[in-house]
Amino acid sequence: MAARDDAVMLEVGGHEVRVSHPDRVVFPEPGLTKLDLVRYYVAVADGALRGAGGRPMVLKRFVKGIDREPFFQKRVPEHHPAYIDTATLQYARGTSAEEAVVRDAAGLAWVVNLGCLDLNPHPVRAEDLDHPDELRVDLDPMPGVDWSQIVDVAMVARDVLEDHGLVGWPKTSGSRGIHLLVRIAPEWEYAQVRLAAESLAREVERRAPGLASARWWKEERGESVFVDFNQNAKDRTVASAYSVRPLPDARVSTPLRWDEVRWRRPEEFTVATVLERFAERGDAHEGIDDAVGSLEGLLRLADELGPAEKAPRGASRGDGSGRRVSSMPLIEIARTETKPEALDALERWKAAHAEVVDHLTPSDVLVDGMRGSSSLWYRVRVNLQHVPEADRPGQEALLAEYDPWAGRA
């Protein structure tokens, strides 16, 4: 039924959910409106709630469209409906926030109405905020890495998990990579879960040298798949199952069976195709909550492997700054507010240094999304390791110098 302005009211699981601007086109390429996205999440609610339900969630809101940067809202809006639960998280920096906890299809519809496309839950349940019940393996390919290499690394990671008494459930990330979700008993704190994930990453790298990397420093990974263990640090979230990603084709982070991983491709899974797949097959991760394992095996592996490379906070520069000096010949090109600005700066640098470009490999060009106070900003760097030393340009003035903390205390 119609409501004030151009909103509509939907009946979802016994609750009325208001959807404002239902005809607003969110994805122009497939012609998906805001109301289409709400109905998508209601249709796949059983699977989406298996990944995000009952967990505190960061609201990643695309209020200006998919071609603009979203902002991250930790605090639940003050005037939220009664069917939205909340949980107060204590963050590593000493701050806290009352976050939204979605438990039903109406809750999914509500967050989508706020402008959320993907769901970003924490790896803990609202009933126990200190002990994660999910270990997350994020297989993040460097530029130049093809799908077959990502799959090869995923198979190695599956074997490492199985060797240590755990079950990995694969899904497409919705971009270029693969996520493996691992249910664990909520008996370990964040630091132990991250240590277990780091040990897994190091073992995958040992078994698949050249294909996989557990190296913290991006410029040292080469054309490998980074096994991103730091997604298990406190305060980190990843897009959960059935999340719609902000790509022009409305791509979806989709649960897979292991026998599908090698021959399916991320671009096959969009809102339209996943709706059909879910209606026909249901959720490929239906049994995930029955496959709860122990971290004891991976923590024993951590003891066997010994201390790992230190994270940036523990690195030393020798000048008192506490910042690390890379072993690679890195130069910084720009810091920008948006990715298009970052790519424009990169193209301007390439045009000014055409003689250098032919020496670069895809993994030498580093365009990184960096988390600011409430949104992403972008840093552009170039690794000159493949450029003859005599021909390497020096560090120049940045082509753009955005400060994400300008004006903030």
Side-chain angles (χ1 to χ4, degrees):
M1 92 182 184
R4 64 184 183 277
D5 58 58
D6 63 345
V8 298
M9 299 297 293
L10 297 182
E11 165 100 21
V12 182
H15 300 290
E16 281 199 337
V17 182
R18 181 177 182 271
V19 180
S20 61
H21 311 293
D23 298 327
R24 177 183 292 162
V25 176
V26 181
F27 288 92
E29 188 175 291
L32 291 174
T33 65
K34 187 178 183 182
L35 184 58
D36 291 331
L37 293 176
V38 170
R39 287 174 170 159
Y40 159 79
Y41 273 108
V42 171
V44 300
D46 181 58
L49 291 168
R50 190 168 283 116
R55 303 178 183 276
M57 178 187 301
V58 174
L59 302 176
K60 183 180 175 185
R61 301 178 63 180
F62 290 83
V63 295
K64 296 182 180 179
I66 62 171
D67 57 345
R68 302 289 295 274
E69 294 299 322
F71 73 90
F72 297 89
Q73 181 175 338
K74 292 181 178 179
R75 289 171 175 80
V76 65
E78 182 178 354
H79 300 292
H80 57 271
Y83 53 79
I84 296 294
D85 282 348
T86 65
T88 301
L89 272 73
Q90 304 292 327
Y91 300 115
R93 292 183 177 180
T95 59
S96 65
E98 187 180 16
E99 293 194 2
V101 177
V102 169
R103 297 191 183 274
D104 54 24
L108 293 174
W110 179 78
V111 298
V112 175
N113 182 59
L114 292 178
C116 298
L117 298 182
D118 44 25
L119 309 175
N120 290 268
H122 291 270
V124 292
R125 303 284 179 174
E127 293 75 20
D128 185 351
L129 300 175
D130 297 319
H131 301 94
D133 72 332
E134 184 171 86
L135 182 147
R136 296 165 173 179
V137 183
D138 181 5
L139 303 180
D140 184 13
M142 291 290 288
V145 172
D146 62 24
W147 182 250
S148 63
Q149 182 174 334
I150 303 169
V151 171
D152 288 342
V153 173
M155 297 300 182
V156 174
R158 178 188 65 174
D159 291 345
V160 173
L161 288 168
E162 289 180 352
D163 290 347
H164 295 84
L166 295 166
V167 180
W169 296 75
K171 71 179 181 71
T172 63
S173 69
S175 181
R176 297 180 59 236
I178 290 176
H179 294 161
L180 305 183
L181 306 178
V182 185
R183 286 289 194 268
I184 58 174
E187 299 173 0
W188 293 272
E189 297 181 351
Y190 273 97
Q192 295 169 296
V193 176
R194 183 185 179 281
L195 175 60
E198 184 177 24
S199 301
L200 165 73
R202 294 171 67 192
E203 179 63 11
V204 172
E205 181 184 52
R206 188 189 69 79
R207 296 189 188 188
L211 295 181
S213 175
R215 294 180 177 270
W216 182 281
W217 309 104
K218 189 172 183 179
E219 65 271 17
E220 297 176 358
R221 297 173 195 160
E223 292 188 1
S224 67
V225 177
F226 177 44
V227 186
D228 189 355
F229 54 88
N230 205 48
Q231 297 297 354
N232 295 277
K234 192 172 186 179
D235 303 350
R236 291 296 184 96
T237 62
V238 296
S240 60
Y242 296 99
S243 286
V244 182
R245 307 310 303 275
L247 297 176
D249 58 359
R251 197 170 300 185
V252 171
S253 180
T254 306
L256 301 175
R257 301 187 310 271
W258 275 110
D259 61 4
E260 297 180 288
V261 170
R262 189 166 296 280
W263 60 274
R264 301 304 295 263
R265 295 293 185 274
E267 59 271 19
E268 297 179 52
F269 302 108
T270 64
V271 166
T273 62
V274 169
L275 280 171
E276 182 178 354
R277 172 185 170 91
F278 195 88
E280 292 178 353
R281 305 185 184 186
D283 181 17
H285 285 188
E286 186 174 359
I288 190 171
D289 290 321
D290 299 322
V292 178
S294 169
L295 286 186
E296 291 178 359
L298 286 179
L299 292 175
R300 283 195 300 270
L301 176 63
D303 290 336
E304 295 168 7
L305 293 175
E309 177 187 26
K310 289 184 178 180
R313 190 178 297 274
S316 177
R317 187 173 183 166
D319 62 0
S321 69
R323 297 173 60 191
R324 172 185 181 269
V325 175
S326 176
S327 61
M328 294 292 182
L330 283 175
I331 57 174
E332 188 172 8
I333 305 303
R335 301 174 189 177
T336 67
E337 184 175 8
T338 67
K339 191 169 185 178
E341 291 173 318
L343 297 177
D344 176 70
L346 176 61
E347 291 306 312
R348 285 188 283 137
W349 182 88
K350 286 181 176 180
H353 299 281
E355 71 285 355
V356 173
V357 174
D358 288 341
H359 295 287
L360 302 177
T361 68
S363 61
D364 288 335
V365 178
L366 309 173
V367 181
D368 301 319
M370 313 291 288
R371 182 68 70 88
S373 59
S374 61
S375 62
L376 293 179
W377 60 279
Y378 292 85
R379 179 178 63 178
V380 185
R381 297 175 297 160
V382 174
N383 188 346
L384 301 174
Q385 61 180 329
H386 295 113
V387 179
E389 190 169 355
D391 299 332
R392 293 173 183 172
Q395 178 65 55
E396 302 167 344
L398 298 182
L399 295 179
E401 196 165 357
Y402 172 70
D403 181 359
W405 293 279
R408 296 180 180 271

